[in-house]
Amino acid sequence: LDCAEQIEPDSAVIAAAKHLWADRKRCVDLKDSGAGALALGQHAEAMHSLTQALALNAKLHVLDDFHLYLLRSDAAFGLSRGGEAMSDANSALKLRPDDNEAKYRAARAHHFTGSWEAAMALFTELVQGAPDVPLYKAGLQSLIDQNPATEAKHQGDHFYSSGDFEEALKFYTLAVVQNVKLKFCDEAMLFNARSQTYLKLKRLGEAIEEADAVIDARPDWFEGYVRRAEALTSYQKYTDAHKDYCKALDRCPSNKERVYIRERIQDLEGKSTEVDVHKSAGDMAFTIGEYDEAILAYTEAMDSNHDGWYDDAVLLTCRSRAFLQAGIRADALKDAHNAIKVNPLLTDGYMARMDAYLVLGELLKAQDDCLKALEFLQKVTDTSDMHFQKLTMTRNKLQDKLAVIRSAIGMETISSGGDAAMAAGAFEDAILQYTSALEHLQALEGRQQRDFASDLDSSHVITNHRISIQMAVIYANRSAANAKFGKSRASHAIADADRALEGRPGWMKAYARRAEGLHLLGKLEAAVEDYKRAYEGDELDAYLRRNVLKGFELKGNVFREQFAHKEAIEQYTLALDGFKSAFQEHADLHADTSMWETPPGVLLHRAEAYQDMSDPAALSDVQAVIKLAPKWAVPRVRLVEVLRTLKRGEEAYAYALQGAAELDIGSTNQAVDFERVKAGALMDIQSQDTSAFRARVVKWFSRDAQIDRRTMRIFCVSDLQVDIEANLRWCKALSLTAFLADVIIVAGNVADTFDGVKTGLRILTSKFRRVFFVPGNRDLWITEPEAHVFPDSVCKLLALLKELDNIGVDTGPAEVARGVFIVPLFSWYNYQFDEKDPFPGKYRFDRFCKFPMKDEVWQWFLAMNQQAVLTSYRREQAGGRGGEECVVISFSHFLPRADANMPEGVPEIRKNVGCKELDMQIHTINSDVHVFGHTHMAMDGYLGDRYRRIKNVPRYREANTGDDEYLCHIHGSENTTRYVQNCLDNPEEQGVYCIFDGEQLCGGNVPSDGGGDAYVHFTRDSDAAVDTTFSRLSMGDSIVN
């Protein structure tokens, strides 16, 4: 086109073509600009560019509108504009109805705007269509956790627990209604809660109807039958109640609940019936050996059981046993069959049929019934309750019979459970399985003739010799399992190998097992002798070589115990190099390399030795151990300890959370270890005993100490909230040149998101020489988009501090000019800030924050200030200071004084805005000015007397958390600190508030372009009233003099 224009410079066609080309290029540039801004978290800029791109593309059709709508939906969501995000997502869906990305954005927007049904439908469709995408699963789970049905259920639970059953019923009914369409909650649980509430209100008919609904929804859940039985009992319908309690008992897995159900059944069975009389007569006849009489009595009991007071299966089981003892085996088997048919969940039915099969010699079928009976009893544990003791005895008897049956079928099957556990790497389970098998065999030795030979053909009787051989095999296998735990169980491995040799003298496998135990204990000479008995040729050479390498490890352990860490590392390295060399040799020969794989234990020992020397090499070693044994918790705990030793507490804390989550350790001893190292990392961060903090101090504290204070000013602002577009424009509108020599203090709450905080502060660093910042509560929120990035608010805080170091934002104290100090103070609120009601409140503020501490969050943050507080800022004034008086300005996000003005009409606001202990730190620093934020109540002036700790204040005594000292005003104790709050409330008109003009402390607004000012000057000793004509404070905000 340029060439054409040179030939025909006045051509209208060429001019139009160039204009069209320019428009199309601008459309593409706008799209790229929007995408780039979105990637940087600059959602407002992205929104503006993408809107222009869409408008231009409607005329030119250069780009795919689908992608533009997706990008603008992301930008709108980042700005918390749910309606606009949904509109753009729907527009994209119209263009491509089957696209998952568009569906996800629409679902997310529906969730944000409360359109639960639409969000549920879309998230469900996404998860079903793409089950491997974590983002879709997380969205669906978040929706389920925050739905109205669940909220109503929780409210109902609250009122139920407080005894307000009428209110509880209202909320449970609301939960049922809310749950009709979306099915967020288990409807059986909702019906169960409502049935229980009706029962409390004595509305028995409705309680039964709700219990029926529970059973219809979940037929296998015991709670529905319990609810109905309770209501039927109140109706005095004891027979029906008894049936329901029995059904509940058969379905109940909980030991505690089973005790309750059995007690109810006992109460009901106190009413004697004709069936009771006949059954009792049958039981008595069976006990004294009158089996024919017992058969007749049980038959009469079944004939009179018209109303089903007894389970027919129970009566059939009793008669089956009587038939068996009377020698009528076919009828015994028939009754047992019928008992199981009537009630497939009755354990006694399977036991009766097992006994019949045993007498008939059908061992495989007897084994199957024995396993089924054990399956029903496996959840029963020993307790002092009579019934459970009886069940436990029954279970033990069944296990003994199972051992006998298995022995008769084939001795090799008895240890199959342990073998399977060994193959799966579950060594603890394998030991338990082998131990159980050994106990069965030991019992079998003494009673096989008594318990087994009378009912079975003599060909099935197991000889003691065969038992001894099988026990030797199991002892050898258990020895191998114990050896897997290393030195801690090596003695057990040796003892088991010795027992195996007693059962099978001269057995090579037993010698090999004993050699492994001796090898682990470091008894290498004895191990060599056993290796020679177990192996020969190349195999023997390999084990002897491995024994030599073990010797290096043991020498390393000795050196480490003597604190000779370098020598220990040398020995561990020799062992590791030997394994590596042997592994490579076997790999080159295509031989088995399993015994030459790098031992994680040796590598971990070397990591520990490096750690003892504070050598960073410990880090790479322990990471290698985790790669070799990813399911082993010990090296993960060690990694946290290594990071702490290397003064990397921030990384240690984050990894402690990550390691525990990856292993899914629950409440095991491993969980205790992770909690221990996590608490240690928190302590390192709290005390700022980390290399990151030290580097921060070294880099920033004295960097500008020689700058002439007359060349700079200090400004302050809080609560920027750049997520709001107008506030972001305010930041961008600040002059690019007027403040380049100046400093600005940002007292928290820059944005709700990590990217928002970074964006807002990055803008300020381009306009001011130095930017100081402490986080507020909203800066540490973890909302849905960041829930999978930061495990908790401490992790977000640490990530912020690291990122702010990178972009040049100060978060620690510094001398910003000669004799001028700025001291950031971390803070959080303490409920005792509320002097009228110094107790925890019922409202939960900052629910998006997640801390590992509970009410001690404020103490943790204040402890982070200790080094800053104990630093002496008012050094000698003469000499190098040129006679100038030092100026110290501290700042925090939360209020340090309870006598500052508070917003009216907000319940419990005083419990969640400040911390008086923070003011004690301010006075220790001896600050001239303290800047804070949070309440949006602008002020500049002096407050009351200093706080002092005094004892036994009656109003606070109940709220005391450990000591008997409280913070109160002490009249006459002069407080010379000036307090300033300047929040960004009016971005269209507000300038920048100056508190130091280069000469002295002041107060007044400077316009965004840097021109003009209206200062009021302060002196440290001034007791004059503060001039309240500052342009910033002319908006009607409170002034506290």
PDB file of all heavy atoms in Angstrom, residues 573-591:
ATOM      1  N   THR A 573      29.380 -41.199  51.674  1.00  0.00           N
ATOM      2  CA  THR A 573      29.621 -41.030  50.232  1.00  0.00           C
ATOM      3  C   THR A 573      30.272 -42.279  49.645  1.00  0.00           C
ATOM      4  O   THR A 573      29.942 -42.696  48.532  1.00  0.00           O
ATOM      5  CB  THR A 573      30.503 -39.791  49.994  1.00  0.00           C
ATOM      6  OG1 THR A 573      29.856 -38.647  50.563  1.00  0.00           O
ATOM      7  CG2 THR A 573      30.723 -39.557  48.510  1.00  0.00           C
ATOM      8  N   LEU A 574      31.201 -42.894  50.409  1.00  0.00           N
ATOM      9  CA  LEU A 574      31.814 -44.142  49.942  1.00  0.00           C
ATOM     10  C   LEU A 574      30.748 -45.221  49.743  1.00  0.00           C
ATOM     11  O   LEU A 574      30.754 -45.954  48.749  1.00  0.00           O
ATOM     12  CB  LEU A 574      32.855 -44.622  50.942  1.00  0.00           C
ATOM     13  CG  LEU A 574      34.194 -43.864  50.972  1.00  0.00           C
ATOM     14  CD1 LEU A 574      35.044 -44.344  52.141  1.00  0.00           C
ATOM     15  CD2 LEU A 574      34.940 -44.063  49.654  1.00  0.00           C
ATOM     16  N   ALA A 575      29.805 -45.316  50.693  1.00  0.00           N
ATOM     17  CA  ALA A 575      28.741 -46.319  50.582  1.00  0.00           C
ATOM     18  C   ALA A 575      27.864 -46.029  49.363  1.00  0.00           C
ATOM     19  O   ALA A 575      27.557 -46.928  48.569  1.00  0.00           O
ATOM     20  CB  ALA A 575      27.895 -46.319  51.851  1.00  0.00           C
ATOM     21  N   LEU A 576      27.477 -44.771  49.184  1.00  0.00           N
ATOM     22  CA  LEU A 576      26.591 -44.411  48.066  1.00  0.00           C
ATOM     23  C   LEU A 576      27.277 -44.619  46.723  1.00  0.00           C
ATOM     24  O   LEU A 576      26.662 -45.120  45.766  1.00  0.00           O
ATOM     25  CB  LEU A 576      26.131 -42.956  48.221  1.00  0.00           C
ATOM     26  CG  LEU A 576      25.158 -42.709  49.380  1.00  0.00           C
ATOM     27  CD1 LEU A 576      25.002 -41.214  49.643  1.00  0.00           C
ATOM     28  CD2 LEU A 576      23.799 -43.330  49.084  1.00  0.00           C
ATOM     29  N   ASP A 577      28.567 -44.247  46.652  1.00  0.00           N
ATOM     30  CA  ASP A 577      29.306 -44.452  45.396  1.00  0.00           C
ATOM     31  C   ASP A 577      29.434 -45.944  45.086  1.00  0.00           C
ATOM     32  O   ASP A 577      29.369 -46.350  43.911  1.00  0.00           O
ATOM     33  CB  ASP A 577      30.703 -43.824  45.509  1.00  0.00           C
ATOM     34  CG  ASP A 577      30.643 -42.300  45.493  1.00  0.00           C
ATOM     35  OD1 ASP A 577      29.577 -41.759  45.125  1.00  0.00           O
ATOM     36  OD2 ASP A 577      31.655 -41.670  45.847  1.00  0.00           O
ATOM     37  N   GLY A 578      29.609 -46.763  46.129  1.00  0.00           N
ATOM     38  CA  GLY A 578      29.699 -48.205  45.920  1.00  0.00           C
ATOM     39  C   GLY A 578      28.397 -48.772  45.368  1.00  0.00           C
ATOM     40  O   GLY A 578      28.412 -49.603  44.448  1.00  0.00           O
ATOM     41  N   PHE A 579      27.265 -48.343  45.901  1.00  0.00           N
ATOM     42  CA  PHE A 579      25.978 -48.796  45.379  1.00  0.00           C
ATOM     43  C   PHE A 579      25.775 -48.327  43.938  1.00  0.00           C
ATOM     44  O   PHE A 579      25.288 -49.085  43.095  1.00  0.00           O
ATOM     45  CB  PHE A 579      24.841 -48.280  46.268  1.00  0.00           C
ATOM     46  CG  PHE A 579      24.571 -49.146  47.456  1.00  0.00           C
ATOM     47  CD1 PHE A 579      25.070 -48.818  48.710  1.00  0.00           C
ATOM     48  CD2 PHE A 579      23.807 -50.306  47.331  1.00  0.00           C
ATOM     49  CE1 PHE A 579      24.825 -49.621  49.810  1.00  0.00           C
ATOM     50  CE2 PHE A 579      23.556 -51.115  48.427  1.00  0.00           C
ATOM     51  CZ  PHE A 579      24.071 -50.779  49.672  1.00  0.00           C
ATOM     52  N   LYS A 580      26.181 -47.104  43.675  1.00  0.00           N
ATOM     53  CA  LYS A 580      26.019 -46.569  42.320  1.00  0.00           C
ATOM     54  C   LYS A 580      26.854 -47.358  41.321  1.00  0.00           C
ATOM     55  O   LYS A 580      26.389 -47.700  40.225  1.00  0.00           O
ATOM     56  CB  LYS A 580      26.425 -45.086  42.313  1.00  0.00           C
ATOM     57  CG  LYS A 580      26.263 -44.399  40.971  1.00  0.00           C
ATOM     58  CD  LYS A 580      26.653 -42.927  41.080  1.00  0.00           C
ATOM     59  CE  LYS A 580      26.513 -42.238  39.721  1.00  0.00           C
ATOM     60  NZ  LYS A 580      26.916 -40.798  39.811  1.00  0.00           N
ATOM     61  N   SER A 581      28.095 -47.660  41.699  1.00  0.00           N
ATOM     62  CA  SER A 581      28.989 -48.414  40.814  1.00  0.00           C
ATOM     63  C   SER A 581      28.448 -49.820  40.562  1.00  0.00           C
ATOM     64  O   SER A 581      28.409 -50.303  39.423  1.00  0.00           O
ATOM     65  CB  SER A 581      30.383 -48.472  41.439  1.00  0.00           C
ATOM     66  OG  SER A 581      31.238 -49.300  40.668  1.00  0.00           O
ATOM     67  N   ALA A 582      27.993 -50.497  41.626  1.00  0.00           N
ATOM     68  CA  ALA A 582      27.468 -51.849  41.480  1.00  0.00           C
ATOM     69  C   ALA A 582      26.200 -51.854  40.632  1.00  0.00           C
ATOM     70  O   ALA A 582      25.979 -52.750  39.808  1.00  0.00           O
ATOM     71  CB  ALA A 582      27.172 -52.443  42.855  1.00  0.00           C
ATOM     72  N   PHE A 583      25.369 -50.844  40.824  1.00  0.00           N
ATOM     73  CA  PHE A 583      24.134 -50.743  40.036  1.00  0.00           C
ATOM     74  C   PHE A 583      24.457 -50.639  38.545  1.00  0.00           C
ATOM     75  O   PHE A 583      23.845 -51.316  37.708  1.00  0.00           O
ATOM     76  CB  PHE A 583      23.347 -49.514  40.500  1.00  0.00           C
ATOM     77  CG  PHE A 583      22.033 -49.337  39.798  1.00  0.00           C
ATOM     78  CD1 PHE A 583      20.879 -49.899  40.308  1.00  0.00           C
ATOM     79  CD2 PHE A 583      21.936 -48.598  38.619  1.00  0.00           C
ATOM     80  CE1 PHE A 583      19.653 -49.737  39.673  1.00  0.00           C
ATOM     81  CE2 PHE A 583      20.736 -48.441  37.964  1.00  0.00           C
ATOM     82  CZ  PHE A 583      19.581 -49.009  38.497  1.00  0.00           C
ATOM     83  N   GLN A 584      25.455 -49.795  38.227  1.00  0.00           N
ATOM     84  CA  GLN A 584      25.811 -49.606  36.824  1.00  0.00           C
ATOM     85  C   GLN A 584      26.392 -50.892  36.225  1.00  0.00           C
ATOM     86  O   GLN A 584      26.088 -51.251  35.084  1.00  0.00           O
ATOM     87  CB  GLN A 584      26.815 -48.450  36.695  1.00  0.00           C
ATOM     88  CG  GLN A 584      27.109 -48.035  35.264  1.00  0.00           C
ATOM     89  CD  GLN A 584      25.849 -47.599  34.536  1.00  0.00           C
ATOM     90  OE1 GLN A 584      25.107 -46.772  35.038  1.00  0.00           O
ATOM     91  NE2 GLN A 584      25.602 -48.158  33.356  1.00  0.00           N
ATOM     92  N   GLU A 585      27.221 -51.592  37.008  1.00  0.00           N
ATOM     93  CA  GLU A 585      27.814 -52.850  36.515  1.00  0.00           C
ATOM     94  C   GLU A 585      26.724 -53.865  36.186  1.00  0.00           C
ATOM     95  O   GLU A 585      26.756 -54.514  35.139  1.00  0.00           O
ATOM     96  CB  GLU A 585      28.754 -53.424  37.578  1.00  0.00           C
ATOM     97  CG  GLU A 585      30.024 -52.614  37.785  1.00  0.00           C
ATOM     98  CD  GLU A 585      30.817 -53.119  38.966  1.00  0.00           C
ATOM     99  OE1 GLU A 585      30.524 -54.241  39.442  1.00  0.00           O
ATOM    100  OE2 GLU A 585      31.723 -52.390  39.434  1.00  0.00           O
ATOM    101  N   HIS A 586      25.736 -54.004  37.061  1.00  0.00           N
ATOM    102  CA  HIS A 586      24.667 -54.971  36.828  1.00  0.00           C
ATOM    103  C   HIS A 586      23.774 -54.535  35.677  1.00  0.00           C
ATOM    104  O   HIS A 586      23.273 -55.368  34.917  1.00  0.00           O
ATOM    105  CB  HIS A 586      23.840 -55.167  38.106  1.00  0.00           C
ATOM    106  CG  HIS A 586      24.523 -56.029  39.123  1.00  0.00           C
ATOM    107  ND1 HIS A 586      25.640 -55.599  39.829  1.00  0.00           N
ATOM    108  CD2 HIS A 586      24.272 -57.295  39.546  1.00  0.00           C
ATOM    109  CE1 HIS A 586      26.040 -56.565  40.639  1.00  0.00           C
ATOM    110  NE2 HIS A 586      25.221 -57.604  40.496  1.00  0.00           N
ATOM    111  N   ALA A 587      23.585 -53.233  35.533  1.00  0.00           N
ATOM    112  CA  ALA A 587      22.762 -52.742  34.428  1.00  0.00           C
ATOM    113  C   ALA A 587      23.439 -53.022  33.096  1.00  0.00           C
ATOM    114  O   ALA A 587      22.785 -53.400  32.113  1.00  0.00           O
ATOM    115  CB  ALA A 587      22.504 -51.249  34.597  1.00  0.00           C
ATOM    116  N   ASP A 588      24.779 -52.858  33.046  1.00  0.00           N
ATOM    117  CA  ASP A 588      25.514 -53.124  31.804  1.00  0.00           C
ATOM    118  C   ASP A 588      25.419 -54.599  31.412  1.00  0.00           C
ATOM    119  O   ASP A 588      25.453 -54.948  30.222  1.00  0.00           O
ATOM    120  CB  ASP A 588      26.988 -52.724  31.972  1.00  0.00           C
ATOM    121  CG  ASP A 588      27.144 -51.213  32.109  1.00  0.00           C
ATOM    122  OD1 ASP A 588      26.205 -50.486  31.736  1.00  0.00           O
ATOM    123  OD2 ASP A 588      28.193 -50.769  32.612  1.00  0.00           O
ATOM    124  N   LEU A 589      25.309 -55.484  32.435  1.00  0.00           N
ATOM    125  CA  LEU A 589      25.215 -56.920  32.168  1.00  0.00           C
ATOM    126  C   LEU A 589      23.767 -57.391  32.026  1.00  0.00           C
ATOM    127  O   LEU A 589      23.500 -58.587  31.902  1.00  0.00           O
ATOM    128  CB  LEU A 589      25.879 -57.704  33.303  1.00  0.00           C
ATOM    129  CG  LEU A 589      27.397 -57.473  33.478  1.00  0.00           C
ATOM    130  CD1 LEU A 589      27.882 -58.143  34.752  1.00  0.00           C
ATOM    131  CD2 LEU A 589      28.158 -58.001  32.268  1.00  0.00           C
ATOM    132  N   HIS A 590      22.833 -56.413  32.071  1.00  0.00           N
ATOM    133  CA  HIS A 590      21.389 -56.715  31.992  1.00  0.00           C
ATOM    134  C   HIS A 590      20.975 -57.682  33.092  1.00  0.00           C
ATOM    135  O   HIS A 590      20.123 -58.545  32.902  1.00  0.00           O
ATOM    136  CB  HIS A 590      21.010 -57.290  30.617  1.00  0.00           C
ATOM    137  CG  HIS A 590      21.382 -56.387  29.484  1.00  0.00           C
ATOM    138  ND1 HIS A 590      20.690 -55.226  29.215  1.00  0.00           N
ATOM    139  CD2 HIS A 590      22.407 -56.460  28.585  1.00  0.00           C
ATOM    140  CE1 HIS A 590      21.255 -54.619  28.173  1.00  0.00           C
ATOM    141  NE2 HIS A 590      22.294 -55.343  27.781  1.00  0.00           N
ATOM    142  N   ALA A 591      21.603 -57.527  34.265  1.00  0.00           N
ATOM    143  CA  ALA A 591      21.282 -58.377  35.415  1.00  0.00           C
ATOM    144  C   ALA A 591      20.328 -57.640  36.352  1.00  0.00           C
ATOM    145  O   ALA A 591      20.046 -56.452  36.184  1.00  0.00           O
ATOM    146  CB  ALA A 591      22.573 -58.753  36.152  1.00  0.00           C
TER     147      ALA A 591
END
